[in-house]
Amino acid sequence: MSGLRIEGCTVAFGGLRAIDNVTLAIPEGTITALIGPNGSGKSTFVNMVSGQIPPAAGRILLGGGAITGLRPDRIVHRGLARTYQVPKVPKELTIEEVISVPLRYARSDRPLPPGVRSAADLARYCGLRPAGGTRCGQLSVSDLRRLEIARALACRPDVLLLDESMAGLSLEDTEQVIALVREIHAAGVTVLVIEHVMRIIATLCRHAIVLNQGRLLAEGEPQRVLTDPDVREAYLGKGFTL
Amino acid sequence: MTTAAVLQAVILSLTVAALYAAVAAGLTLTVGVTRIINFAHGEFVMLGAFLTYGLHTRWGVSPWLGMAASGVALGLLSALVYRLFLARVLKQDEHNQLLATLGLSILLLNIAVILWSPDPRVMQAPALLPPLRLGPVTVPGNNVAVALVGLLLFLAMLWIKNHTRYGTQMRFASDDPELALHAGINVDRVFELSFVIGGAAAGVSGGLVALVLYVQPSVGVDLVIRAFAIIALGGLGNIPGALMGAAILALVEGLVSTFVPQGGSWGFGVAFLLLLLVLIVRPSGLFGKQVQA
Amino acid sequence: MNAAGMNILVLRLGFYVAVAAPFVAVALAEHAFLVQVAIGIAVSAILALAWDILSRTGQVSLGHAAFFGMGGYGSALLTPVLGPVLGWIAGLLLCGAVAVLLGAVTLRLRRLYFTIATLSFSLSIQVFILVTPDLTGGSTGIMPPVLAGGSPPHQLLFITGCLVAAAAVSDVFLGSRFRPAFFMIRNNPHLAAASGVPVTRLKILAFAVSGMVAGLAGACYAGLYGYVIPDDVFTTNWNVLPLAVTILGGMDTTLGPVVGAVALRLLEEVARHFVGGVGYQVVYGAVIILFIVGMPAGLVGFARGLLRRRKATERPDGAKARLAS
């Protein structure tokens, strides 16, 4: 089966199990939400799937093939790309130069989004203005997030993990990024959105996965998952916004 | 080769190990807290050695007092270096931080060469403690003193880190400087303090160097390489690991220099090979927990 | 090749000519003292370029004396066996191979360990030479074939050629293929890996190339007088000099190490005047500290920054002028 499958994966730091025997599937062609309170293991999940912290146990399948234990750059080549929430990019590089790195080093045998030919095109596709050789040191937070999405898209992924790409953005910026995610999805990319804000998830996703204390708490349609009593309890007092 | 000769080599090595451990513990305290790899730590030790040596040969000041004076002097120098220099470098990326402390190390080393020439010298001091007889082996009094003070210094670092209010703040500030700021901890001050304590420890270690090693400008580089090898053996930021690392390094070195022909010149080679071996077999250090590379 | 590519190529060649011109002029003038100074500067510049290529990936080497020395010893010992061309190539390949081995062990780790490993490696290899007199001549040294028949102006011309070659290699690693990837590796290796970059492999590549270029500098140096002892080429001076030269001139550039080699040589003369033969390296330390704190981009980077700022202030005026007309 295609898409992304996690089978019985565990990540432990010392005695703490940040991911505890998680099994779940992200079906091909969906926009899926991964939610959970702070410290529930969402970031560790992304780090695990992208190969930064390999799981101590379990299997990760991408498009039916195992990617468990592969180096992060090999996983990118297999078709999985991720963004970083607070990306630390070299401030002396320009937007185009950053995007050019995956264009050159990631796989090249898949199409870029329609109408996109170059790093500059991809920057514009994600709502950035690459003209004038803007250096990354001068970018705002919202532009850095767009740059991360552009960089990840330049990996030509089948599956894209967006790590809180909309956190802390203005309403207008959020709307634009939501539209961008829809466009990326329409171009045939399976998207996993890691988010805090429930409103975004409810409008964007058909499928939601809830992690709590490293375990899978609930899975299903966002509306149903969000009204689940267990989920409510996990979030209680944690700034639950619907 | 007699058992006594082996025993003698082992015991003398262990006294040197205490010195290595003291140097490494001072270094690991600052590296562990500020994440600044202070390459000039070895030169701080070297300056302490020259100070103790100078005070004794010029004015007959007891090395005990010399050690204490070196500790105070190097602590003050560390504070100066931190304020004038490191506080600015902390704002730059890790690459430039490393380069900056390398520059400091080169600067101090060569100032010492200009002031005192590169020649090695020996401090002619009466033994600080009576020699210790252990069966067939006699440990010279100065080695006993080095072992004692070195261990004390080492334990002091351990105690500061784990059992004082500053230690708690240091660990907090190092784990998450931003969060620590929010919690009302003056991160800059905590960093400075850890740097000053590390510097003072380097100064006292320098006094120990004057007791059992040649006093020369290059002694700082010698020791800092060993200290890093020890930290690698023990795992970064792991103070008890540093003690084990020091013992292993000093033992291997001592045995090689006693029993291998021309072994004395192999000092660096031994430290380097040991370091490589550890890096190959267990990159996180023999006693370290798994850390992100 | 399109017109833009042609333009860049012409600019590049012009740059190399400009770099080589002063050295060639000195060689042609045959001024004995200046020729010696220029040879020293060119050798320093090659070694500094080698160091900088590696530094762009965030790896600080404190052991380039090892590669400098191995290049000198390797080429010297292999030339009688393989002839001058193959002997030099084999000597440089030896440097590259050692860099790959050392890099494979240390480059996966925190950069600190790499620095320590290179420093202790360079100190260990000195010991290795001393204890293997049959293979390497031990402390008495070796007698490499002398370069260019021992004529200093000819030697300078040859070494200038090597400098241009090193500059060309440096430029390859400042091109679009490597520069962004190297800077990303230095700044955030996780981000580089998440962009499909084989991080460790590129670091090892940079180290191997860096080691070979440093070996080239050492081979040039060893061939100057036909006589080399370990203390000439394996001394800490060659570990520290490339840092000072590059930081002074400007890291991450090809021009920086060349400018830095000239400027540092001047400073060194001043220092030697005041403190004599020992301790002149105090200048290296002072330069590194002052520039990292006050001008981290170095002389070349600072000048470029000024130029860029001037352009930026000119541009709005130009736009206004166009609007007005």
Side-chain angles (χ1 to χ4, degrees):
Chain A
M1 81 150 270
S2 3
L4 183 67
R5 255 192 89 75
I6 315 295
E7 294 179 350
C9 284
T10 296
V11 173
F13 300 117
L16 177 80
R17 291 185 158 214
I19 296 290
D20 191 359
N21 194 16
V22 166
T23 298
L24 57 85
I26 290 142
E28 193 183 359
T30 58
I31 303 182
T32 301
L34 176 64
I35 58 179
N38 272 331
S40 57
K42 299 190 299 287
S43 291
T44 309
F45 181 85
V46 177
N47 287 338
M48 175 187 83
V49 173
S50 63
Q52 199 169 314
I53 306 171
R59 284 207 310 167
I60 305 170
L61 301 169
L62 177 66
I67 57 167
T68 332
L70 290 184
R71 283 203 322 257
D73 56 296
R74 296 312 307 166
I75 291 177
V76 170
H77 277 263
R78 294 302 261 307
L80 184 135
R82 64 162 298 179
T83 65
Y84 282 88
Q85 192 186 342
V86 192
K88 198 177 131 218
V89 286
K91 57 183 187 304
E92 61 267 52
L93 293 182
T94 64
I95 293 172
E96 281 180 78
E97 281 174 323
V98 169
I99 300 172
S100 77
V101 171
L103 281 182
R104 190 178 284 275
Y105 286 93
R107 61 189 191 171
S108 54
D109 54 350
R110 301 295 154 96
L112 287 165
V116 171
R117 294 234 166 69
S118 63
D121 288 348
L122 199 47
R124 279 188 287 269
Y125 181 82
C126 296
L128 291 161
R129 290 166 304 280
T134 314
R135 278 160 208 273
C136 298
Q138 309 156 350
L139 292 180
S140 66
V141 175
S142 94
D143 280 353
L144 277 174
R145 294 270 167 72
R146 288 173 210 270
L147 176 61
E148 261 304 275
I149 298 176
R151 188 196 55 74
L153 279 182
C155 298
R156 304 168 199 255
D158 299 324
V159 176
L160 175 63
L161 310 189
L162 297 175
D163 192 355
E164 306 209 14
S165 295
M166 287 159 260
L169 295 192
S170 73
L171 215 58
E172 194 192 339
D173 283 331
T174 307
E175 291 302 327
Q176 286 173 2
V177 174
I178 288 178
L180 176 61
V181 173
R182 287 219 170 92
E183 203 171 333
I184 292 166
H185 174 245
V189 179
T190 303
V191 183
L192 180 68
V193 184
I194 292 92
E195 256 321 319
H196 254 352
V197 186
M198 299 304 158
R199 187 179 48 77
I200 295 171
I201 291 153
T203 55
L204 197 57
C205 312
R206 292 270 176 75
H207 189 72
I209 294 161
V210 188
L211 280 185
N212 189 35
Q213 297 181 340
R215 295 209 184 128
L216 185 66
L217 187 64
E219 193 177 6
E221 273 180 35
Q223 295 305 343
R224 198 175 56 73
V225 163
L226 294 179
T227 50
D228 184 301
D230 285 347
V231 176
R232 291 237 156 208
E233 196 192 318
Y235 266 97
L236 214 62
K238 294 265 178 188
F240 182 61
T241 47
L242 193 78
Chain B
M1 215 167 295
T2 62
T3 335
V6 179
L7 220 58
Q8 177 90 24
V10 166
I11 289 175
L12 284 185
S13 302
L14 285 179
T15 63
V16 177
L19 168 59
Y20 287 179
V23 175
L27 186 61
T28 197
L29 187 78
T30 48
V31 174
V33 175
T34 58
R35 309 265 167 213
I36 281 203
I37 296 140
N38 180 23
F39 222 86
H41 192 78
E43 274 63 43
F44 287 4
V45 177
M46 177 268 292
L47 290 178
F50 268 100
L51 193 61
T52 309
Y53 170 86
L55 286 173
H56 180 73
T57 25
R58 209 48 82 71
W59 294 298
V61 176
S62 152
W64 286 121
L65 215 60
M67 259 180 243
S70 300
V72 173
L74 269 299
L76 289 175
L77 182 69
S78 300
L80 200 67
V81 164
Y82 184 88
R83 292 205 179 164
L84 286 182
F85 170 60
L86 277 182
R88 291 166 208 228
V89 175
L90 264 170
K91 295 188 189 97
Q92 301 195 20
D93 61 19
E94 203 186 324
H95 190 68
N96 284 7
Q97 289 176 7
L98 180 55
L99 290 174
T101 67
L102 279 176
L104 183 63
S105 152
I106 295 161
L107 182 74
L108 293 176
L109 167 64
N110 287 289
I111 288 178
V113 168
I114 293 169
L115 291 179
W116 302 306
S117 92
D119 305 329
R121 51 202 89 189
V122 177
M123 183 166 75
Q124 305 287 350
L128 291 179
L129 293 173
L132 186 66
R133 271 179 240 290
L134 294 168
V137 182
T138 308
V139 187
N142 279 345
N143 285 71
V144 179
V146 167
L148 281 179
V149 178
L151 267 180
L152 269 179
L153 208 53
F154 177 86
L155 291 174
M157 296 293 119
L158 199 63
W159 180 75
I160 289 172
K161 194 173 172 228
N162 292 337
H163 297 283
T164 64
R165 193 165 56 89
Y166 274 123
T168 317
Q169 292 188 356
M170 277 177 198
R171 277 177 288 154
F172 196 11
S174 124
D175 284 346
D176 195 336
E178 255 171 62
L179 198 62
L181 263 179
H182 284 302
I185 294 176
N186 186 341
V187 172
D188 194 51
R189 244 197 96 55
V190 170
F191 279 14
E192 183 181 352
L193 188 78
S194 78
F195 198 72
V196 169
I197 293 173
V204 179
S205 314
L208 302 182
V209 168
L211 286 178
V212 287
L213 299 176
Y214 288 115
V215 178
Q216 56 187 335
S218 65
V219 76
V221 180
D222 291 9
L223 284 171
V224 92
I225 289 180
R226 290 187 173 86
F228 278 117
I230 286 165
I231 293 176
L233 280 164
L236 193 67
N238 179 344
I239 295 188
L243 191 60
M244 296 299 293
I248 293 172
L249 179 64
L251 265 182
V252 175
E253 249 181 55
L255 291 175
V256 166
S257 75
T258 316
F259 299 113
V260 175
Q262 283 185 306
S265 56
W266 272 104
F268 285 123
V270 169
F272 172 67
L273 289 178
L274 212 56
L275 181 65
L276 271 195
L277 203 70
V278 174
L279 294 184
I280 293 169
V281 178
R282 208 181 135 83
S284 56
L286 283 184
F287 313 100
K289 50 181 192 282
Q290 202 70 37
V291 282
Q292 284 275 299
Chain C
M1 190 183 289
N2 57 21
M6 205 65 198
N7 269 344
I8 289 173
L9 191 69
V10 169
L11 269 178
R12 225 0 91 76
L13 289 177
F15 170 72
Y16 297 141
V17 170
V19 165
F23 293 98
V24 172
V26 168
L28 294 181
E30 301 202 1
H31 185 293
F33 174 68
L34 282 186
V35 166
Q36 288 309 324
V37 171
I39 286 176
I41 288 175
V43 168
S44 303
I46 298 172
L47 182 62
L49 280 168
W51 183 87
D52 190 52
I53 290 170
L54 179 61
S55 152
R56 293 169 203 161
T57 64
Q59 310 303 315
V60 176
S61 164
L62 252 192
H64 260 46
F67 298 96
F68 187 81
M70 280 194 301
Y73 264 68
S75 61
L77 293 170
L78 292 169
T79 295
V81 188
L82 300 169
V85 178
L86 279 181
W88 273 49
I89 292 176
L92 300 195
L93 286 178
L94 172 75
C95 292
V98 170
V100 168
L101 288 179
L102 193 58
V105 175
T106 53
L107 283 173
R108 285 174 294 119
L109 309 164
R110 300 172 73 98
R111 53 186 96 195
L112 154 73
Y113 290 130
F114 178 77
T115 304
I116 297 298
T118 51
L119 175 57
S120 51
F121 174 66
S122 88
L123 296 169
S124 305
I125 199 150
Q126 233 170 328
V127 178
F128 174 79
I129 303 265
L130 293 180
V131 298
T132 55
D134 297 335
L135 184 67
T136 61
S139 58
T140 51
I142 50 166
M143 303 184 80
V146 68
L147 261 182
S151 147
H154 289 158
Q155 290 180 336
L156 176 56
L157 285 178
F158 176 80
I159 295 175
T160 303
C162 292
L163 173 60
V164 169
V169 172
S170 161
D171 278 338
V172 167
F173 288 94
L174 286 175
S176 61
R177 180 173 189 86
F178 293 109
R179 182 176 173 273
F182 275 18
F183 286 5
M184 207 183 262
I185 289 173
R186 170 164 78 190
N187 182 267
N188 187 347
H190 290 311
L191 193 71
S195 305
V197 176
V199 174
T200 304
R201 209 182 306 161
L202 279 199
K203 282 197 214 164
I204 291 177
L205 173 71
F207 193 23
V209 171
S210 175
M212 285 163 69
V213 174
L216 179 66
C220 290
Y221 185 82
L224 287 178
Y225 312 110
Y227 180 66
V228 175
I229 58 171
D231 277 353
D232 287 339
V233 288
F234 288 104
T235 161
T236 10
N237 179 61
W238 302 113
N239 283 336
V240 176
L241 176 113
L243 276 78
V245 165
T246 312
I247 291 168
L248 172 59
M251 290 185 279
D252 311 328
T253 63
T254 295
L255 189 57
V258 182
V259 171
V262 177
L264 191 72
R265 181 60 199 255
L266 286 174
L267 291 175
E268 227 180 277
E269 290 297 327
V270 175
R272 276 181 208 268
H273 179 76
F274 283 109
V275 302
V278 290
Y280 66 90
Q281 290 179 17
V282 80
V283 176
Y284 298 175
V287 159
I288 294 172
I289 288 183
L290 289 176
F291 274 74
I292 289 290
V293 171
M295 202 193 279
L299 295 173
V300 169
F302 181 70
R304 280 190 184 166
L306 281 184
L307 281 178
R308 201 181 298 139
R309 222 168 298 150
R310 257 183 67 185
K311 264 190 205 155
T313 50
E314 272 166 15
R315 208 178 289 140
D317 297 349
K320 249 182 252 161
R322 239 178 288 132
L323 273 179
S325 70

